[in-house]
Amino acid sequence: TPEDLAKEIARTKEMTDKPFGVNLTILPAIKPPPYAEYRQAIIEGGIKIVETAGYKPQEHIDHFKEHGIKVIHKCTAVRHALSAERMGADAISIDGFECAGHPGEDDIPGLILIPAAADKVKVPMLASGGFGDGRGLVAALALGADGINMGTRFCVTKEAPIHENFKKQMVENDERDTKLIFRTLHNTARVMKNAVSEEVVAIEAKGGAKFEDIQHLVAGVRGRAAMEKGDADDGIWSAGMIQGLIHDIPTVKELIDRIIADAEKIMDERLARMRVS
């Protein structure tokens, strides 16, 4: 709820004096969220950076910019990135097909999408989808991004408020352990492979499926209950292909320090050796 969001903003302020952002995802929902109230909680909380994701962010961008808030809009296509830039987005997070959650319908992987966007997008740009280590950071910078955005990798950290069973499952999983659901409904989502996601895919594969046919399987209430019980095989859980490169459950500090150290080592050693004198 907007009230819970306000409490989380206040709680985070007690934990750090550094800047932090809030995500506002704009996607179809069984019960549409109170977006205007969420925006107000963000504004009143003194937040200066918001990441928006989803459809038609103009209303949200306009409202936030009226209050001096910088907006990063997450996109899954170059044309959407350019549209968000025209709407006034201050930065773009370009999200490749490898990502968790909604990869769009074009199925363009980051190796192509990131440089394609870098060729045209003028505002700063983050690379999203399939990032979790120093190798990915160096690759993103080489492809033209200004940094990386990580979701699944941060879920598998000690601080993440997620049941330990889910973290352990993602460590055990490899890059093949995701499923694309809602493909036939043109609202594709990449989720962790489990009994429920495989059932959803099977229903869609029969043809003619409507959302009502799978609603009981994908409902957020069911997912929350599975999370509370620690049952990784019941409910839908977003996870990216990066699972195949996740092998431990570090603290966030350990993860960030390792990514930076590995990236610097790659640039200073491996890439330096390849430089033609």
Side-chain angles (χ1 to χ4, degrees):
T1 66
E3 293 76 19
D4 286 334
L5 173 57
K7 289 176 183 175
E8 284 297 294
I9 291 172
R11 186 173 74 92
T12 306
K13 283 186 171 181
E14 293 174 359
M15 298 164 66
T16 181
D17 59 359
K18 300 291 193 293
F20 62 92
V22 171
N23 169 274
L24 185 67
T25 299
I26 314 148
L27 292 172
I30 297 171
K31 182 180 179 183
Y35 289 120
E37 294 176 42
Y38 281 131
R39 292 198 305 268
Q40 199 58 39
I42 291 167
I43 292 164
E44 291 176 1
I47 298 297
K48 294 302 178 185
I49 306 166
V50 171
E51 181 200 54
T52 53
Y55 304 117
K56 299 179 181 177
Q58 186 72 73
E59 173 188 359
H60 308 285
I61 291 176
D62 289 346
H63 194 187
F64 286 133
K65 291 183 78 70
E66 285 173 11
H67 295 270
I69 296 171
K70 298 289 187 184
V71 178
I72 304 169
H73 188 65
K74 182 180 283 186
C75 308
T76 60
V78 175
R79 64 187 183 281
H80 298 157
L82 295 174
S83 176
E85 188 178 56
R86 288 192 296 271
M87 290 180 191
D90 299 284
I92 296 298
S93 179
I94 197 75
D95 210 12
F97 184 57
E98 305 92 332
C99 71
H102 294 271
E105 306 302 314
D106 294 339
D107 299 356
I108 308 298
L111 194 61
I112 304 300
L113 184 62
I114 296 162
D119 284 345
K120 296 183 178 180
V121 173
K122 296 181 178 61
V123 296
M125 190 181 77
L126 300 173
S128 303
F131 295 100
D133 60 22
R135 295 171 297 182
L137 173 56
V138 174
L141 296 175
L143 292 171
D146 298 293
I148 59 173
N149 195 2
M150 301 191 303
T152 304
R153 176 66 268 204
F154 275 131
C155 289
V156 192
T157 57
K158 293 189 186 305
E159 294 92 337
I162 296 167
H163 198 286
E164 198 70 12
N165 289 354
F166 281 78
K167 298 178 187 181
K168 290 178 179 176
Q169 186 63 56
M170 285 188 275
V171 169
E172 291 175 11
N173 286 349
D174 66 23
E175 64 278 5
R176 300 167 299 170
D177 287 318
T178 69
K179 286 290 184 181
L180 293 172
I181 63 173
F182 305 152
R183 292 242 85 177
T184 61
L185 303 176
H186 307 293
N187 187 29
T188 302
R190 186 181 299 282
V191 299
M192 189 166 71
K193 180 181 177 181
N194 65 8
V196 174
S197 60
E198 292 200 276
E199 187 175 350
V200 172
V201 171
I203 291 171
E204 289 192 74
K206 293 177 182 176
K210 299 182 177 63
F211 182 70
E212 292 74 21
D213 300 326
I214 55 176
Q215 181 174 340
H216 64 291
L217 296 169
V218 303
V221 173
R222 178 169 181 165
R224 281 195 297 273
M227 181 69 66
E228 290 167 4
K229 292 183 297 182
D231 186 351
D233 221 27
D234 186 25
I236 292 296
W237 179 250
S238 290
M241 289 180 171
I242 193 64
Q243 287 178 114
L245 300 180
I246 296 176
H247 308 302
D248 62 354
I249 308 174
T251 66
V252 169
K253 184 182 188 309
E254 289 168 345
L255 176 62
I256 295 298
D257 287 348
R258 184 168 70 201
I259 289 173
I260 298 301
D262 288 350
E264 289 177 342
K265 185 176 181 180
I266 291 168
M267 291 186 288
D268 293 342
E269 297 180 14
R270 180 176 173 81
L271 297 185
R273 290 198 305 269
M274 298 177 181
R275 192 174 296 137
V276 177
S277 59

